[in-house]
Amino acid sequence: MSGNPVPLTVIKGAGHEFIPLPQGENATVADFHSIRTETTDSPTHLTSGFYKIVAGPARPASYNFEETKYVLSGQIDVLDEATGITHHLVAGDFAFFHVGSKVKFSTKSQGFAFYAVTRPVRVPHPNLQGREEDTKSRL
């Protein structure tokens, strides 16, 4: 990956916004971020998982794929090398990392987030392997 880092997209408090239900409905979706992927791997994967960080040295990351991260608890600090801005993400905050983003993750305490990325699985969750529900028809 060459060139200048690409700035992040951050939406503070995304998970705390009220989502109205359409009249007469008991469920709805509320998409709030979408891009056309720039991931060049073929086939492109969509992988999701959890990110956990505790106090310690900053963790650098360079992106040749897209990632969306939603903070569930704690605080995750993200230094965006494209802008020099450190974003202090807390529960309910959303960040999007573009192809070309370069960041450093850190925290003074701990942080826990859900993520979805356009890359294959790198590190399977050790306690969730093989726990997918049976999808065979029961009819």
Side-chain angles (χ1 to χ4, degrees), residues 7-135:
L8 311 179
T9 299
V10 173
I11 302 174
K12 298 290 286 177
H16 299 295
E17 291 298 319
F18 175 74
I19 301 171
L21 289 172
Q23 188 166 351
E25 298 291 331
N26 70 335
T28 191
V29 296
D31 298 340
F32 64 88
H33 185 260
S34 179
I35 65 153
R36 188 175 303 274
T37 185
E38 292 183 33
T39 303
T40 57
D41 293 343
S42 183
T44 298
H45 294 78
L46 179 60
T47 302
S48 57
F50 297 107
Y51 179 76
K52 179 180 179 179
I53 187 169
V54 296
R59 309 286 304 202
S62 296
Y63 287 83
N64 60 356
F65 54 88
E66 289 96 2
E67 176 176 9
T68 182
K69 190 170 281 194
Y70 180 78
V71 179
L72 299 169
S73 65
Q75 179 172 321
I76 300 174
D77 298 326
V78 185
L79 170 61
D80 183 350
E81 293 188 13
T83 63
I85 296 171
T86 298
H87 300 278
H88 304 286
L89 306 178
V90 296
D93 289 349
F94 164 87
F96 184 83
F97 304 84
H98 300 265
V99 168
S101 291
K102 288 182 72 173
V103 302
K104 290 183 181 170
F105 292 102
S106 64
T107 186
K108 289 184 172 40
S109 55
Q110 60 82 33
F112 190 65
F114 171 81
Y115 66 82
V117 294
T118 56
R119 63 158 172 76
V121 171
R122 287 188 180 161
V123 182
H125 191 303
N127 298 322
L128 295 180
Q129 288 179 305
R131 298 232 335 246
E132 293 90 0
E133 289 188 1
D134 182 9
T135 57

